[in-house]
Amino acid sequence: MLQHRDSLEGAPVAPDEFEQYDSYNIDPYYARKFTAFWAAGVGAFVVFYSPYLWRSIKTGRVWQGWAVYERKIRGYSHLDDNLSPEEKISSRKAQATMRARRPSPTFAFLKGALDYIVLRTLPHTGIDLGQVFALSMYLLTLLLCVTIQAPLQSNANRAGFLSLAQLPFIFIFGLKASPVTFLLGRGYEKLNFIHRWAGRMLLLTATVHGSLWIRNRIKSGQADRFRTQNKEKEGLAAYTLLCLIVLASLRPVRRVAYNFFFTFHVVGIAGFFIVVCYHTEHASPWIYPPIAFYAFDLLVRVTRMRIKDAYLEAPDTEMTLIHVPDASGGWIAGQHVKLRVFFEGRLLESHPLSILNAPPSISSLKTTSLKEGGMILAARAAGDWSKAINILARSELPEDCGQLMTHYVDEDPDMMELGTLSAATDSSRVAIAERRVSVMIDGPYGGSSIDFASCENVLMIAGGSGITFTLGLLDDLVGRIRLARSGSGNAPRQDMINTRHITFIWCVRSKGHISWFSRYFQKIGQVASDTSLDILVRFRFYITCPCDPAAIPNIPNMTILESKPDISQCLSDFLVDDHLVSPIGGSGVGVVASGPERLTTDTRNAVAKIGPSLGRRVGGIELHTEAYTL
């Protein structure tokens, strides 16, 4: 045997064109290289966003917002109620300490220059240039790994292996409880665009793989293999399922038939996994990680689910407020939950709703009564489910479906109690009927990626139902400022609270819609009017329909304008406002926008136009947007 092997030394070597491509050894190598690249890219973004994570760890907010629970809390008291005169003077002196930390002018300038480019959003896409850059790097890496030294025309397996290698990436950015959301400080909804576009790129590489193999079979006269050979039939079946999954995930389908999209997404992916494993034995190593990620996600979500009693309140036929008293902890303002209401056979239907108040331990709202002591949600009566919830809140039902209660609100927002309808003898009280139902809470999820308490001036912009997100952040900011000034035991660190000026903008159709949340605006405005807090909160409502003029509530520092807001102009006016604390070298400006995609797009473009020079003068601009769209 040795003699035969030695005799081959010096034998002629076959030309490269006659060498057979070893696909099953070479192509997996490029699939692993692709995996290493995207893992390194995710790690780089984690390092880039690490200052935000570190700030959340220092303030302790990173450990909040994991699972809803009930805890006993103490009621609200004004700042000066329990302070001696010396303590009041000390509290006012502490305000100077709270504004001691200012961002570096160099950092503010560089951030402004970066925002000037990356925040510009492409029209009708909802994707800014920063996201386009990230997706372009992903696509470029994918194409390089598919094409480098790959004889695709004769052997298209490389594209197939790269299709499989994308599955873990797609799943880790598509789950609600993904570790990436924690490390990046972004909610799953902020990273979902990566999941969607990576899925489309998976379809692209699968199309290259399938189409080239079909071409080869037809050219070699083996087209009948697609009818007789299992491997070819299974490949066509897997590709068909993948096409249907992508088509059913397009935005028009999600908007019109979300439940169909979600169900088909889960069932279709399960079917795809099964068929592709039959198609090739090399699929298993790439299938197991997504299954593990999904199992982890389900486990986390199940452990966070809570069944609670809730109370439905319908101010009118267009809005329903949902109060969950026994949910006073485990969430922070700006987060949302998936809510399932057990009624009329809709047990399997859940919807995401933003929490419109801060936790009772922080909230400026009333915290001693059952109704205001927990979580408050709001559902605009727009679809079948939300309209049914509104009808349920206003209707009489048998005892097994719900229990009608009455909540009384006095003219003084501090005076609230629960009682029976017959007890309403005082004409100054307004009786609000509530219906008790059972709900399942899944969450919380998401939230603001920025702690706006570090910004000296904050501009909040909401459109329509987006008010629920910004109202929760406003309640959180004012409540934390109150606690920091009071020096209470659960007060946040004073050097983390810089806010002194907040302008709250809400664009809404009718003046009567302001009354949906008027008692919350009034309470927050009342707390902020305490001069010892050294904070100015102004409300500005843009009304697009001059109707219900008698429905305007009395809210401190309120301005009503009958027009649509120009977001760029609103931001410019805010930055040159006389109420800005420090026009030069300030402690930063925070901008948050929540509502329709057009509103958030306009806000991102408006912040991008500010430029680095003005951004440096105001101490830097922090932006968070929350688009209410599927």
Side-chain angles (χ1 to χ4, degrees):
M1 206 56 173
L2 272 180
Q3 287 182 341
H4 177 69
R5 186 175 299 171
D6 293 339
S7 65
L8 294 178
E9 293 181 2
V13 179
D16 292 342
E17 59 266 22
F18 294 108
E19 287 189 6
Q20 186 174 3
Y21 181 71
D22 192 359
S23 171
Y24 294 109
N25 283 326
I26 298 176
D27 293 342
Y29 167 76
Y30 283 94
R32 291 191 296 268
K33 286 187 67 173
F34 172 77
T35 301
F37 180 86
W38 71 252
V42 171
F45 276 101
V46 169
V47 172
F48 180 79
Y49 286 109
S50 59
Y52 296 98
L53 179 61
W54 175 242
R55 186 182 302 169
S56 298
I57 293 174
K58 289 175 67 177
T59 60
R61 290 171 68 85
V62 71
W63 313 118
Q64 305 170 16
W66 289 99
V68 173
Y69 61 87
E70 179 185 4
R71 65 181 175 188
K72 294 183 179 180
I73 57 173
R74 293 178 296 180
Y76 166 79
S77 61
H78 287 285
L79 167 64
D80 293 340
D81 288 351
N82 301 313
L83 298 180
S84 65
E86 294 79 9
E87 291 173 327
K88 294 177 183 179
I89 296 174
S90 176
S91 175
R92 291 184 175 91
K93 288 181 178 180
Q95 296 172 18
T97 304
M98 289 184 248
R99 296 186 292 274
R101 297 190 176 185
R102 299 183 183 276
S104 164
T106 302
F107 175 81
F109 181 86
L110 293 177
K111 186 179 185 304
L114 183 64
D115 290 345
Y116 184 78
I117 300 173
V118 301
L119 289 182
R120 295 184 180 273
T121 304
L122 302 179
H124 310 297
T125 64
I127 298 179
D128 58 43
L129 293 182
Q131 295 170 330
V132 170
F133 173 77
L135 292 174
S136 299
M137 293 299 297
Y138 179 88
L139 178 60
L140 177 62
T141 305
L142 179 64
L143 294 179
L144 288 175
C145 290
V146 168
T147 57
I148 290 178
Q149 298 180 352
L152 291 177
Q153 292 189 1
S154 60
N155 190 320
N157 280 351
R158 176 78 64 83
F161 274 101
L162 267 298
S163 297
L164 295 173
Q166 294 180 77
L167 291 174
F169 181 85
I170 292 171
F171 265 71
I172 204 169
F173 279 95
L175 300 176
K176 292 181 172 62
S178 171
V180 175
T181 62
F182 169 77
L183 294 174
L184 293 178
R186 299 290 189 273
Y188 73 92
E189 72 282 359
K190 292 295 182 184
L191 303 176
N192 197 254
F193 79 97
I194 301 177
H195 169 77
R196 293 194 299 268
W197 282 98
R200 293 160 189 166
M201 295 175 193
L202 167 61
L203 178 63
L204 172 65
T205 53
T207 301
V208 173
H209 172 72
S211 60
L212 290 179
W213 271 119
I214 291 173
R215 171 181 172 272
N216 288 344
R217 292 290 187 247
I218 294 175
K219 286 185 65 175
S220 61
Q222 297 177 313
D224 60 325
R225 291 177 61 93
F226 294 104
R227 293 184 292 104
T228 61
Q229 298 298 316
N230 288 336
K231 187 176 182 65
E232 278 75 6
K233 290 192 293 184
E234 291 155 0
L236 287 176
Y239 181 73
T240 301
L241 277 174
L242 184 60
C243 290
L244 293 176
I245 291 170
V246 173
L247 289 175
S249 303
L250 296 178
R251 177 175 292 185
V253 179
R254 299 198 308 269
R255 285 181 171 176
V256 174
Y258 182 84
N259 289 329
F260 165 77
F261 147 74
F262 179 79
T263 303
F264 186 80
H265 213 60
V266 175
V267 175
I269 290 174
F272 173 77
F273 279 3
I274 294 173
V275 175
V276 80
C277 284
Y278 276 105
H279 173 63
T280 174
E281 61 182 10
H282 299 279
S284 298
W286 303 103
I287 295 295
Y288 292 145
I291 293 176
F293 294 153
Y294 188 65
F296 174 79
D297 178 78
L298 287 179
L299 177 63
V300 172
R301 293 179 61 185
V302 168
T303 58
R304 298 165 83 175
M305 289 181 180
R306 302 288 187 270
I307 295 180
K308 300 284 187 180
D309 282 341
Y311 298 87
L312 306 181
E313 173 195 336
D316 56 26
T317 59
E318 297 183 71
M319 174 59 65
T320 307
L321 300 178
I322 304 166
H323 310 273
V324 188
D326 299 332
S328 55
W331 48 274
I332 59 178
Q335 290 187 305
H336 68 272
V337 297
K338 299 274 286 185
L339 187 74
R340 193 187 312 268
V341 181
F342 300 129
F343 77 108
E344 295 182 359
R346 295 177 179 261
L347 301 180
L348 301 179
E349 192 170 356
S350 64
H351 292 262
L353 297 176
S354 295
I355 306 170
L356 65 82
N357 65 316
S361 59
I362 298 175
S363 177
S364 302
L365 307 178
K366 183 72 175 178
T367 60
T368 56
S369 72
L370 171 66
K371 182 176 185 294
E372 303 290 349
M375 176 188 297
I376 308 175
L377 310 171
R380 180 74 179 269
D384 293 339
W385 183 84
S386 54
K387 289 179 180 179
I389 290 291
N390 185 268
I391 294 173
L392 174 65
R394 296 182 290 108
S395 64
E396 295 287 346
L397 292 178
E399 291 298 325
D400 60 342
C401 293
Q403 181 178 346
L404 192 64
M405 303 184 66
T406 302
H407 174 255
Y408 296 104
V409 181
D410 289 274
E411 289 181 343
D412 181 357
D414 279 335
M415 301 298 297
M416 296 182 181
E417 64 180 0
L418 289 174
T420 59
L421 188 60
S422 59
T425 57
D426 193 338
S427 60
S428 66
R429 291 183 174 182
V430 178
I432 302 176
E434 292 185 316
R435 180 165 299 284
R436 187 173 66 188
V437 294
S438 294
V439 300
M440 176 181 286
I441 297 175
D442 175 12
Y445 299 106
S448 173
S449 57
I450 299 167
D451 184 4
F452 288 99
S454 62
C455 301
E456 203 161 8
N457 307 279
V458 179
L459 174 64
M460 297 184 173
I461 307 171
S465 299
I467 180 68
T468 55
F469 180 83
T470 52
L471 181 56
L473 292 183
L474 176 65
D475 183 26
D476 177 78
L477 265 180
V478 174
R480 291 168 65 193
I481 292 170
R482 174 179 59 83
L483 290 174
R485 278 14 174 214
S486 68
S488 62
N490 59 343
R493 286 179 51 179
Q494 292 183 353
D495 58 350
M496 297 296 177
I497 305 294
N498 290 325
T499 308
R500 297 177 65 192
H501 171 216
I502 303 172
T503 295
F504 188 94
I505 295 177
W506 185 21
C507 180
V508 67
R509 184 174 62 86
S510 168
K511 295 178 181 178
H513 292 172
I514 302 176
S515 63
W516 293 342
F517 311 108
S518 59
R519 62 179 182 269
Y520 305 133
F521 293 138
Q522 290 167 346
K523 182 60 180 178
I524 293 173
Q526 176 190 355
V527 173
S529 63
D530 189 337
T531 56
S532 64
L533 297 187
D534 190 27
I535 180 175
L536 172 65
V537 177
R538 298 186 298 176
F539 296 94
R540 185 178 300 170
F541 301 107
Y542 286 84
I543 309 300
T544 58
C545 174
C547 47
D548 298 332
I552 302 176
N554 183 20
I555 300 172
N557 293 324
M558 176 183 67
T559 303
I560 294 182
L561 303 172
E562 294 184 356
S563 64
K564 289 185 178 181
D566 182 334
I567 302 302
S568 183
Q569 187 63 45
C570 288
L571 180 58
S572 298
D573 293 343
F574 181 76
L575 293 178
V576 299
D577 198 318
D578 293 337
H579 289 91
L580 273 181
V581 178
S582 302
I584 302 296
S587 292
V589 172
V591 179
V592 55
S594 175
E597 188 173 352
R598 181 177 179 181
L599 173 72
T600 58
T601 297
D602 289 346
T603 304
R604 298 178 77 86
N605 288 329
V607 172
K609 294 176 183 177
I610 294 301
S613 298
L614 181 56
R616 179 188 61 82
R617 291 203 300 269
V618 300
I621 299 179
E622 299 283 1
L623 171 68
H624 179 91
T625 59
E626 202 75 16
Y628 279 48
T629 180
L630 294 176

